[in-house]
Amino acid sequence: MNSGPVQVGQLLEAFLEREGVKRELERVGVLTEWPDCVGDRIAAVTRPRSVSEGTLFVEVRSSAWLMELNMMKGAIIERLNEGRESAPIDKLIFVLSPHG
């Protein structure tokens, strides 16, 4: 049986890992890290929207920026994945923001 008390955090981490949720939770961290990863210039014209199964969706303010960011996609994914070996972002999709 159980050898003694276990911290709730350890139980929660084991549960999340077992259910396959842990990696997705780690990936969601990229939403708050986005400005630090891409810099002020890109952060000013984008908004990370969501992460799903390793794909990050980012809204872009204009079609000109959308085209430019698509050309920079590989470098951006590299920066996003620095230090994120256990839960990398596999794909980056830019969409035109409905808010302009």
Side-chain angles (χ1 to χ4, degrees):
M1 281 266 145
N2 195 347
S3 62
V6 179
Q7 292 184 345
V8 173
Q10 290 174 326
L11 291 173
L12 182 58
E13 186 172 337
F15 170 77
L16 293 175
E17 180 120 16
R18 189 173 60 249
E19 297 301 314
V21 177
K22 185 178 179 190
R23 286 184 73 179
E24 280 303 303
L25 286 176
E26 289 176 14
R27 284 180 175 135
V28 169
V30 78
L31 299 176
T32 56
E33 298 163 9
W34 177 257
D36 293 330
C37 291
V38 298
D40 294 339
R41 185 169 167 240
I42 292 174
V45 297
T46 59
R47 185 177 74 87
R49 188 170 65 188
S50 63
V51 178
S52 177
E53 298 178 4
T55 300
L56 172 62
F57 296 87
V58 178
E59 290 183 2
V60 182
R61 188 176 293 168
S62 71
S63 57
W65 268 108
L66 184 95
M67 288 174 34
E68 183 156 345
L69 291 170
N70 271 318
M71 290 188 292
M72 300 169 58
K73 202 179 276 192
I76 293 172
I77 289 174
E78 263 184 46
R79 280 187 262 160
L80 292 173
N81 284 332
E82 287 176 10
R84 188 183 300 284
E85 288 82 20
S86 65
I89 297 299
D90 302 315
K91 193 172 178 185
L92 182 55
I93 297 179
F94 293 109
V95 295
L96 196 56
S97 172
H99 309 295

